[in-house]
PDB file of all heavy atoms in Angstrom:
ATOM      1  N   PHE T 108      -1.592  -6.293  13.408  1.00 96.00           N
ATOM      2  CA  PHE T 108      -1.319  -6.183  14.845  1.00 96.00           C
ATOM      3  C   PHE T 108       0.137  -6.568  15.120  1.00 96.00           C
ATOM      4  O   PHE T 108       0.720  -7.365  14.380  1.00 96.00           O
ATOM      5  CB  PHE T 108      -2.200  -7.156  15.647  1.00 96.00           C
ATOM      6  CG  PHE T 108      -3.681  -6.967  15.468  1.00 96.00           C
ATOM      7  CD1 PHE T 108      -4.355  -7.611  14.439  1.00 96.00           C
ATOM      8  CD2 PHE T 108      -4.406  -6.158  16.335  1.00 96.00           C
ATOM      9  CE1 PHE T 108      -5.721  -7.465  14.276  1.00 96.00           C
ATOM     10  CE2 PHE T 108      -5.774  -6.002  16.177  1.00 96.00           C
ATOM     11  CZ  PHE T 108      -6.432  -6.657  15.148  1.00 96.00           C
ATOM     12  N   PRO T 109       0.713  -6.054  16.201  1.00 96.00           N
ATOM     13  CA  PRO T 109       1.987  -6.623  16.662  1.00 96.00           C
ATOM     14  C   PRO T 109       1.731  -8.045  17.132  1.00 96.00           C
ATOM     15  O   PRO T 109       0.662  -8.341  17.685  1.00 96.00           O
ATOM     16  CB  PRO T 109       2.397  -5.705  17.817  1.00 96.00           C
ATOM     17  CG  PRO T 109       1.132  -5.041  18.247  1.00 96.00           C
ATOM     18  CD  PRO T 109       0.266  -4.937  17.044  1.00 96.00           C
ATOM     19  N   GLU T 110       2.666  -8.942  16.908  1.00 94.00           N
ATOM     20  CA  GLU T 110       2.387 -10.348  17.181  1.00 94.00           C
ATOM     21  C   GLU T 110       2.144 -10.636  18.659  1.00 94.00           C
ATOM     22  O   GLU T 110       1.529 -11.646  18.997  1.00 94.00           O
ATOM     23  CB  GLU T 110       3.511 -11.233  16.650  1.00 94.00           C
ATOM     24  CG  GLU T 110       4.828 -11.106  17.371  1.00 94.00           C
ATOM     25  CD  GLU T 110       5.838 -12.133  16.854  1.00 94.00           C
ATOM     26  OE1 GLU T 110       5.491 -12.946  15.979  1.00 94.00           O
ATOM     27  OE2 GLU T 110       6.986 -12.113  17.351  1.00 94.00           O
ATOM     28  N   ARG T 111       2.568  -9.745  19.548  1.00 93.00           N
ATOM     29  CA  ARG T 111       2.294  -9.949  20.977  1.00 93.00           C
ATOM     30  C   ARG T 111       0.792  -9.980  21.264  1.00 93.00           C
ATOM     31  O   ARG T 111       0.353 -10.499  22.300  1.00 93.00           O
ATOM     32  CB  ARG T 111       2.977  -8.847  21.793  1.00 93.00           C
ATOM     33  CG  ARG T 111       2.472  -7.448  21.475  1.00 93.00           C
ATOM     34  CD  ARG T 111       3.180  -6.367  22.271  1.00 93.00           C
ATOM     35  NE  ARG T 111       2.790  -5.031  21.847  1.00 93.00           N
ATOM     36  CZ  ARG T 111       1.683  -4.416  22.221  1.00 93.00           C
ATOM     37  NH1 ARG T 111       0.855  -5.022  23.069  1.00 93.00           N
ATOM     38  NH2 ARG T 111       1.387  -3.206  21.791  1.00 93.00           N
ATOM     39  N   LEU T 112       0.001  -9.411  20.353  1.00 94.00           N
ATOM     40  CA  LEU T 112      -1.458  -9.358  20.545  1.00 94.00           C
ATOM     41  C   LEU T 112      -2.191 -10.491  19.825  1.00 94.00           C
ATOM     42  O   LEU T 112      -3.417 -10.466  19.737  1.00 94.00           O
ATOM     43  CB  LEU T 112      -2.001  -8.010  20.053  1.00 94.00           C
ATOM     44  CG  LEU T 112      -1.528  -6.762  20.805  1.00 94.00           C
ATOM     45  CD1 LEU T 112      -2.101  -5.510  20.150  1.00 94.00           C
ATOM     46  CD2 LEU T 112      -1.926  -6.827  22.269  1.00 94.00           C
ATOM     47  N   ALA T 113      -1.446 -11.460  19.327  1.00 92.00           N
ATOM     48  CA  ALA T 113      -2.058 -12.512  18.507  1.00 92.00           C
ATOM     49  C   ALA T 113      -3.266 -13.176  19.161  1.00 92.00           C
ATOM     50  O   ALA T 113      -4.326 -13.303  18.527  1.00 92.00           O
ATOM     51  CB  ALA T 113      -1.006 -13.557  18.139  1.00 92.00           C
ATOM     52  N   PRO T 114      -3.182 -13.622  20.424  1.00 92.00           N
ATOM     53  CA  PRO T 114      -4.352 -14.296  21.020  1.00 92.00           C
ATOM     54  C   PRO T 114      -5.591 -13.396  21.089  1.00 92.00           C
ATOM     55  O   PRO T 114      -6.706 -13.850  20.850  1.00 92.00           O
ATOM     56  CB  PRO T 114      -3.859 -14.683  22.419  1.00 92.00           C
ATOM     57  CG  PRO T 114      -2.371 -14.733  22.300  1.00 92.00           C
ATOM     58  CD  PRO T 114      -2.027 -13.641  21.337  1.00 92.00           C
ATOM     59  N   LYS T 115      -5.390 -12.120  21.407  1.00 93.00           N
ATOM     60  CA  LYS T 115      -6.518 -11.192  21.476  1.00 93.00           C
ATOM     61  C   LYS T 115      -7.034 -10.850  20.076  1.00 93.00           C
ATOM     62  O   LYS T 115      -8.245 -10.698  19.868  1.00 93.00           O
ATOM     63  CB  LYS T 115      -6.115  -9.918  22.207  1.00 93.00           C
ATOM     64  CG  LYS T 115      -5.811 -10.114  23.686  1.00 93.00           C
ATOM     65  CD  LYS T 115      -5.462  -8.786  24.338  1.00 93.00           C
ATOM     66  CE  LYS T 115      -5.188  -8.957  25.826  1.00 93.00           C
ATOM     67  NZ  LYS T 115      -4.825  -7.675  26.478  1.00 93.00           N
ATOM     68  N   ALA T 116      -6.124 -10.730  19.123  1.00 93.00           N
ATOM     69  CA  ALA T 116      -6.528 -10.418  17.754  1.00 93.00           C
ATOM     70  C   ALA T 116      -7.412 -11.516  17.178  1.00 93.00           C
ATOM     71  O   ALA T 116      -8.259 -11.261  16.314  1.00 93.00           O
ATOM     72  CB  ALA T 116      -5.295 -10.221  16.875  1.00 93.00           C
ATOM     73  N   ALA T 117      -7.235 -12.749  17.674  1.00 92.00           N
ATOM     74  CA  ALA T 117      -8.050 -13.868  17.194  1.00 92.00           C
ATOM     75  C   ALA T 117      -9.536 -13.610  17.411  1.00 92.00           C
ATOM     76  O   ALA T 117     -10.381 -14.111  16.649  1.00 92.00           O
ATOM     77  CB  ALA T 117      -7.623 -15.158  17.892  1.00 92.00           C
ATOM     78  N   ASN T 118      -9.881 -12.822  18.428  1.00 92.00           N
ATOM     79  CA  ASN T 118     -11.289 -12.533  18.721  1.00 92.00           C
ATOM     80  C   ASN T 118     -11.944 -11.672  17.633  1.00 92.00           C
ATOM     81  O   ASN T 118     -13.167 -11.618  17.536  1.00 92.00           O
ATOM     82  CB  ASN T 118     -11.412 -11.822  20.070  1.00 92.00           C
ATOM     83  CG  ASN T 118     -10.946 -12.689  21.222  1.00 92.00           C
ATOM     84  OD1 ASN T 118     -11.117 -13.905  21.191  1.00 92.00           O
ATOM     85  ND2 ASN T 118     -10.354 -12.080  22.230  1.00 92.00           N
ATOM     86  N   TYR T 119     -11.118 -10.991  16.830  1.00 92.00           N
ATOM     87  CA  TYR T 119     -11.655 -10.119  15.781  1.00 92.00           C
ATOM     88  C   TYR T 119     -11.229 -10.597  14.398  1.00 92.00           C
ATOM     89  O   TYR T 119     -11.297  -9.845  13.427  1.00 92.00           O
ATOM     90  CB  TYR T 119     -11.170  -8.681  16.001  1.00 92.00           C
ATOM     91  CG  TYR T 119     -11.752  -8.042  17.236  1.00 92.00           C
ATOM     92  CD1 TYR T 119     -11.101  -8.132  18.464  1.00 92.00           C
ATOM     93  CD2 TYR T 119     -12.963  -7.366  17.181  1.00 92.00           C
ATOM     94  CE1 TYR T 119     -11.640  -7.560  19.613  1.00 92.00           C
ATOM     95  CE2 TYR T 119     -13.508  -6.783  18.320  1.00 92.00           C
ATOM     96  CZ  TYR T 119     -12.840  -6.888  19.530  1.00 92.00           C
ATOM     97  OH  TYR T 119     -13.389  -6.319  20.650  1.00 92.00           O
ATOM     98  N   ALA T 120     -10.807 -11.856  14.316  1.00 90.00           N
ATOM     99  CA  ALA T 120     -10.291 -12.382  13.048  1.00 90.00           C
ATOM    100  C   ALA T 120     -11.316 -12.290  11.928  1.00 90.00           C
ATOM    101  O   ALA T 120     -10.972 -12.007  10.776  1.00 90.00           O
ATOM    102  CB  ALA T 120      -9.837 -13.829  13.229  1.00 90.00           C
TER     103      ALA T 120
END
Side-chain angles (χ1 to χ4, degrees):
F108 301 88
E110 68 174 358
R111 62 181 174 81
L112 296 177
K115 293 182 179 179
N118 296 326
Y119 292 91

